[in-house]
Amino acid sequence: LFEAFVVSAAGPGVAPVMMYCYAPRDANLMQFNAIPEFSFPESGLKLPPSSGEQDEAERAGLRKTFSFVLTGGDGARLHGFCRRYTTAAGTQEAACILTQHCWYDIFCKILDAFQDTACSQAGAAGVATFARNLQAQGLVEPGSAVRVPLEG
């Protein structure tokens, strides 16, 4: 279903860092080191202070979803579907699914569930369980529902 599920965090004046990377055991995790920069592209820029509207949207917990495509030297494409959110602790985080499939609607729904889990009492433990169970799910038949248990 996906090549990796990366969770990054950033703060004012702090460069984004990778907090978690859920990928197959045989994956080269170094290839995902640049994902935090894609998740927080403005972090290296000198931007003017944000408007009150943007701050209000962040406090309201609005879902910020975006995508990008990484192209390898051989022309292979890896799609990134990202969701930025603020945790209950006030941390700016981004969840990013890296996949060969460009199924925007499906991955947005997965990111909805992921954000709900990350911002709930389940926190990081729930996130880890969710990512592992989702990765174990694999591809499903067209028209089938994807069910991801949130317990270990």
Side-chain angles (χ1 to χ4, degrees), residues 66-81:
F66 59 95
S67 62
F68 58 86
V69 178
L70 301 174
T71 305
D74 61 354
R77 293 188 173 150
L78 195 60
H79 301 271
F81 298 93

Side-chain angles (χ1 to χ4, degrees), residues 22-85:
Y22 304 98
R25 293 183 194 267
D26 60 345
N28 174 7
L29 299 182
M30 295 300 287
Q31 68 184 338
F32 306 122
N33 279 347
I35 299 307
E37 298 295 329
F38 280 93
S39 300
F40 295 94
E42 76 284 0
S43 65
L45 302 176
K46 300 280 189 218
L47 297 175
S50 64
S51 70
E53 277 180 24
Q54 183 179 2
D55 293 339
E56 189 174 308
E58 288 176 12
R59 282 192 299 275
L62 296 179
R63 299 175 190 273
K64 297 178 190 174
T65 306
F66 59 95
S67 62
F68 58 86
V69 178
L70 301 174
T71 305
D74 61 354
R77 293 188 173 150
L78 195 60
H79 301 271
F81 298 93
C82 296
R83 167 71 53 82
R84 291 193 26 192
Y85 55 91

